[in-house]
């Protein structure tokens, strides 16, 4: 694994692209100008409008008291839940795993309802992958499937996947690369791929479209129940066949529409028997993939685990099931806002149990928490490492000083206080 | 947000009296210049002065923004639409030639000669005299327009 480091450049933690070419201008201890980050990244780096307060039961307090109270809640719980992790450094994630181990907790992260299965398949060697740098230098056919980087990862196409010149792609995107967008709607990314490069399929039919592509690649008639123009499918399979270095960027649209990954495995196998294809998951939160890697190293699973005398794993240990079944009796939420991101019917139970939130900013979840501990903003006020969407480790440097502890320091102190 | 107002749209909102107070021979001529930002809405004196044109004056002022940001080549960045994706930065042929290993390779620009670069999440235009649409050998370059996912760049 490569560690990207340069002297004057910082890393943006606005998404899992972890752009590492960001320059800043400082005035005292605040960022006044950010160069090269996209709008989303600048919003993240300039910090939150409403920082989280350190409080226990709604009353402000000092960090020591809040940490003690958090440790007390976790020790008293029989089955605590530790959830979040996608917005934490890898170092903080390892501490969270240690706390889960010590308290016999349920441990899950947001990949549980997004890219988890794909990352697991990559870590198990079931899907061929590559790095974004290889995409930049070599990729000639780029497929965005159920992904809209123009909205989710604004610099994806300019930094790596389509527009930049790379070692074997010196003539620019018009001549050297073909971008394809497969989606249920005409997204901003589809606008760039153009009408010829855009394939709009009905929601939930991704598996069937994959099967049709496999047929086309096998020189059979590509039939679909939704009657997709066969000529267009064959045009696409021709492009895929001719790829020297192909890559599929798998977005949430693809993940959500597949019941299991078999159709994707079949397509990737077929593609790799006729040309050369790789797959990279469009991971959202900046270190979601790091969380999967760290939990995998510790337990052999990427998420949905329960610690005890042995490590249990399965859908029943996912955050959604644990809350639905009311199987947990306290929760520690780190850098995540489940009350906003999970269905309310599931997340509401969090308000019935002792709840601890660690976050730089106020969130709906923090507003319902018994203990809130503000942490430094990763990549700006604290350093550490994180894993980019393609599995490359990136080192983040602190830009400005703060009184707030990093999430790693807070979790270390909770661990000590247990 | 209104985009790319047409000459006709602008003309419809003018007094259409050809009074010549603005110095142009017809309201249509004024509309053409207004679209190119060569004149200001306020240069149409009756529009500003007369109560009956108030609504049209307001509407025109909304259409013809941002007046101050037009560069010499006519390049306008609609800042409210730009998401700072950098597609235009990496695609602009002048940027690529001036900075092949920075902007041209997808990374932060490392040369002062680039035209487009992203600051605080929004693209800024500098060195516009270098734009391929400008000067003696001008060509109709569309690299920055075609690669923008939000149609934030416009030439007037
Ligand atoms: S694309 Fe993602 S990592 Fe890059 S600048 Fe934008 S938010 Fe930051
Ligand atoms: S028109 Fe062409 S040369 Fe001018 S700024 Fe746009 S991309 Fe660059
Ligand atoms: S391509 Fe459009 S949205 Fe992206 S930086 Fe340029 S003007 Fe802004």
């Amino acid at each position: 694994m490569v560690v990207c480091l340069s002297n004057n450049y910082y890393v943006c933690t606005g998404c899992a692209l972890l752009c590492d070419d960001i320059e800043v201008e400082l005035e005292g201890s605040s960022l006044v100008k950010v160069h090269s980050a996209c709008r989303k990244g600048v919003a993240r780096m300039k910090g939150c409008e409403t920082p989280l307060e350190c409080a226990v039961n709604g009353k402000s307090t000092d960090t020591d008291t809040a940490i003690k109270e958090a440790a007390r809640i976790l020790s008293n719980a029989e089955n605590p839940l530790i959830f979040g992790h996608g917005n934490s450094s890898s170092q903080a994630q390892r501490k969270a795993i240690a706390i889960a181990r010590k308290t016999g907790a349920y441990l899950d992260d947001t990949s549980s309802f997004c890219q988890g299965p794909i990352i697991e398949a990559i870590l198990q060697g079931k899907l061929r992958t590559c790095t974004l740098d290889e995409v930049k230098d070599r990729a000639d056919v780029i497929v965005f499937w159920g992904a809209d980087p123009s909205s989710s990862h604004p610099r994806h196409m300019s930094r790596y996947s389509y527009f930049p010149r790379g070692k074997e792609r010196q003539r620019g995107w018009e001549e050297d690369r073909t971008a394809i967008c497969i989606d249920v709607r005409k997204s901003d990314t589809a606008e760039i791929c153009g009408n010829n490069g855009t394939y709009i399929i009905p929601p939930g039919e991704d598996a069937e479209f994959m099967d049709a592509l496999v047929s086309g690649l096998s020189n059979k008639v590509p039939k679909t129940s939704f009657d997709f123009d066969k000529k267009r499918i064959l045009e696409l399979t021709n492009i895929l066949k001719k790829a020297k270095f192909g890559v599929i960027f798998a977005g949430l649209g693809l993940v959500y529409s597949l019941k299991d990954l078999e159709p994707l495995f079949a397509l990737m196998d077929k593609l790799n028997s006729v040309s050369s294809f790789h797959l990279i998951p469009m991971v959202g939160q900046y270190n979601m993939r790091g969380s999967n890697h760290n939990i995998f190293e510790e337990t052999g699973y990427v998420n949905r685990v329960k610690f005890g005398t042995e490590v249990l794993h399965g859908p029943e240990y996912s955050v959604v099931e644990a809350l639905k079944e009311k199987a947990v009796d306290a929760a520690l939420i780190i850098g995540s806002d489940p009350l906003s991101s999970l269905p309310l019917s599931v997340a509401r139970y969090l308000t019935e149990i002792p709840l601890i939130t660690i976050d730089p900013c106020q969130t709906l979840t923090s507003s319902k928490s018994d203990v809130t501990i503000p942490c430094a903003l990763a990549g700006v006020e604290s350093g550490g490492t994180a894993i980019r969407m393609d599995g490359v480790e990136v080192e983040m440097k602190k830009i400005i000083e703060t009184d707030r502890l990093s999430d790693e320091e807070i979790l270390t102190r909770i661990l000590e206080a247990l | 947000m209104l985009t790319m107002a047409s000459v006709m749209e602008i003309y419809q909102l003018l007094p259409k009296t050809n009074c010549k107070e603005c110095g142009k021979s017809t309201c249509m001529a004024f509309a053409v210049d207004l679209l190119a930002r060569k004149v200001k809405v306020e240069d149409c004196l009756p529009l500003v002065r007369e109560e009956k044109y108030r609504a049209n004056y307001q509407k025109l002022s909304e259409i013809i923004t941002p007046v101050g940001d037009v560069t010499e080549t006519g390049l306008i960045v609609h800042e409210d639409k730009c998401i700072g994706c950098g597609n235009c930065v990496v695609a602009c042929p002048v940027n690529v030639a001036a900075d092949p290993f920075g902007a041209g390779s997808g990374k932060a620009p490392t040369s002062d000669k680039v035209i487009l670069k992203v600051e605080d999440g929004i693209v800024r235009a500098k060195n516009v005299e270098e734009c391929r649409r400008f000067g003696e050998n001008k060509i109709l370059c569309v690299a920055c327009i075609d690669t923008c996912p939000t149609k934030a760049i416009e030439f007037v």
Side-chain angles (χ1 to χ4, degrees):
Chain A
M1 292 284 161
V2 201
V3 174
C4 304
L5 240 187
S6 88
N7 285 332
N8 310 313
Y9 290 126
Y10 294 98
V11 171
C12 172
T13 54
C15 74
L17 210 55
L18 290 167
C19 292
D20 56 359
D21 60 347
I22 312 298
E23 286 176 290
V24 296
E25 288 173 35
L26 295 175
E27 222 173 76
S29 64
S30 60
L31 286 184
V32 288
K33 202 171 234 177
V34 180
H35 293 272
S36 299
C38 70
R39 187 186 280 242
K40 177 176 176 168
V42 171
R44 160 105 186 158
M45 292 181 79
K46 290 210 166 160
C48 30
E49 274 163 26
T50 45
L52 188 60
E53 255 195 86
C54 188
V56 171
N57 299 323
K59 279 200 206 83
S60 340
T61 181
D62 56 281
T63 325
D64 287 341
T65 313
I67 285 174
K68 251 190 231 147
E69 179 61 11
R72 193 192 62 78
I73 290 174
L74 292 171
S75 317
N76 286 350
E78 278 190 18
N79 292 307
L81 165 70
I82 305 185
F83 175 74
H85 317 294
N87 281 320
S88 298
S89 69
S90 291
Q91 290 66 33
Q93 290 168 351
R94 285 186 208 122
K95 295 291 173 196
I97 298 171
I99 293 177
R101 214 178 257 292
K102 200 158 178 180
T103 55
Y106 285 67
L107 181 77
D108 200 7
D109 57 35
T110 32
S111 75
S112 179
F113 42 87
C114 53
Q115 296 280 5
I118 301 244
I119 295 172
E120 185 169 39
I122 289 174
L123 289 174
Q124 292 169 341
K126 292 185 192 160
L127 281 171
R128 187 171 178 217
T129 189
C130 64
T131 67
L132 287 166
D133 305 278
E134 287 176 290
V135 170
K136 185 184 88 177
D137 283 333
R138 303 182 59 195
D140 55 348
V141 176
I142 300 109
V143 181
F144 299 98
W145 196 315
D148 182 18
S150 293
S151 311
S152 57
H153 303 74
R155 291 185 70 200
H156 196 279
M157 297 181 105
S158 72
R159 203 50 238 271
Y160 299 106
S161 57
Y162 190 38
F163 295 113
R165 280 151 211 253
K167 286 195 187 97
E168 294 172 25
R169 297 285 163 259
Q170 278 299 321
R171 284 170 304 168
W173 80 101
E174 305 107 309
E175 288 178 53
D176 265 353
R177 302 195 206 254
T178 308
I180 306 287
C181 185
I182 302 171
D183 210 334
V184 295
R185 67 190 175 92
K186 185 136 184 154
S187 62
D188 284 347
T189 301
E191 290 290 341
I192 293 175
C193 296
N195 286 336
N196 286 339
T198 299
Y199 291 76
I200 305 287
I201 57 173
E205 302 294 0
D206 300 51
E208 221 192 299
F209 198 70
M210 286 176 190
D211 291 345
L213 289 180
V214 171
S215 299
L217 291 165
S218 318
N219 301 318
K220 289 188 210 137
V221 184
K223 282 192 213 122
T224 52
S225 63
F226 44 94
D227 244 343
F228 201 97
D229 185 353
K230 296 185 188 68
K231 231 173 78 200
R232 287 212 68 214
I233 297 186
L234 292 175
E235 271 166 28
L236 178 54
T237 51
N238 267 336
I239 295 172
L240 301 176
K241 262 186 210 167
K242 284 193 202 125
K244 289 200 191 70
F245 190 109
V247 58
I248 295 178
F249 286 102
L252 281 185
L254 178 149
V255 181
Y256 285 154
S257 105
L258 293 184
K259 279 194 215 73
D260 58 63
L261 294 184
E262 289 309 322
L264 182 61
F265 292 153
L267 175 63
M268 286 297 285
D269 282 349
K270 186 74 217 170
L271 282 170
N272 276 309
S273 73
V274 294
S275 56
S276 172
F277 260 85
H278 311 78
L279 185 137
I280 296 179
M282 294 290 281
V283 180
Q285 292 172 332
Y286 87 85
N287 201 21
M288 186 71 268
R289 183 152 176 179
S291 174
N292 290 148
H293 282 220
N294 283 315
I295 301 174
F296 189 77
E297 267 168 37
E298 288 272 332
T299 68
Y301 310 109
V302 295
N303 53 26
R304 303 180 172 181
V305 292
K306 157 97 172 82
F307 289 91
T309 38
E310 52 180 334
V311 179
L312 304 170
H313 167 75
E316 64 272 39
Y317 304 110
S318 72
V319 61
V320 172
E321 287 305 314
L323 293 177
K324 246 196 217 159
E325 297 303 320
K326 307 195 174 187
V328 291
D329 54 356
L332 167 61
I333 310 293
I334 309 155
S336 182
D337 189 11
L339 278 173
S340 308
S341 56
L342 292 180
L344 193 60
S345 58
V346 172
R348 191 182 292 123
Y349 177 62
L350 281 173
T351 62
E352 295 169 26
I353 55 177
L355 185 59
I356 308 156
T357 296
I358 301 174
D359 206 295
C361 312
Q362 281 179 31
T363 62
L364 185 60
T365 307
S366 79
S367 73
K368 306 280 180 203
S369 296
D370 305 278
V371 180
T372 54
I373 312 175
C375 66
L377 188 62
V380 176
E381 297 168 335
S382 64
T385 61
I387 303 218
R388 209 163 67 181
M389 59 161 65
D390 58 347
V392 170
E393 187 170 45
V394 176
E395 184 165 342
M396 308 175 287
K397 286 182 297 182
K398 183 201 285 195
I399 308 174
I400 50 182
E401 292 296 331
T402 173
D403 304 337
R404 295 183 289 178
L405 299 175
S406 69
D407 44 4
E408 181 197 355
E409 289 165 320
I410 294 168
L411 292 168
T412 305
R413 290 183 50 188
I414 292 179
L415 186 62
E416 287 163 0
L418 280 170
Chain B
M1 166 85 214
L2 291 147
T3 53
M4 292 270 199
S6 70
V7 177
M8 273 320 282
E9 239 177 288
I10 295 173
Y11 174 72
Q12 293 300 343
L13 294 168
L14 292 170
K16 292 183 275 195
T17 52
N18 301 333
C19 72
K20 304 184 181 56
E21 274 192 61
C22 60
K24 306 281 161 203
S25 51
T26 61
C27 290
M28 190 50 113
F30 183 81
V32 171
D33 281 0
L34 194 53
L35 182 65
R37 272 56 164 194
K38 285 186 193 150
V39 294
K40 295 198 293 288
V41 179
E42 285 69 27
D43 293 337
C44 174
L45 300 175
L47 194 69
V48 179
R49 192 173 58 217
E50 288 172 40
E51 183 60 36
K52 61 180 174 194
Y53 299 133
R54 163 119 355 141
N56 283 4
Y57 175 33
Q58 228 169 16
K59 205 147 175 227
L60 259 182
S61 309
E62 277 165 29
I63 295 179
I64 308 296
T65 53
V67 191
D69 290 351
V70 189
T71 63
E72 295 137 81
T73 47
L75 186 157
I76 297 179
V77 175
H78 293 287
E79 298 197 351
D80 53 335
K81 287 187 171 182
C82 174
I83 55 166
C85 69
N87 290 357
C88 58
V89 176
V90 179
C92 169
V94 175
N95 277 18
V96 174
D99 188 20
F101 300 106
S105 300
K107 290 200 282 267
T110 57
S111 156
D112 293 336
K113 300 216 167 64
V114 295
I115 299 181
L116 301 164
K117 84 189 270 225
V118 175
E119 272 175 28
D120 277 335
I122 295 167
V123 88
R124 314 273 172 208
K126 295 183 181 129
N127 307 315
V128 282
E129 65 286 353
E130 300 294 328
C131 172
R132 299 254 160 119
R133 288 175 165 248
F134 199 60
E136 273 175 28
N137 303 315
K138 63 181 169 202
I139 55 163
L140 195 67
C141 178
V142 290
C144 55
I145 304 173
D146 275 4
T147 56
C148 179
T150 60
K151 304 280 165 274
I153 291 187
E154 187 187 346
F155 283 89
V156 294

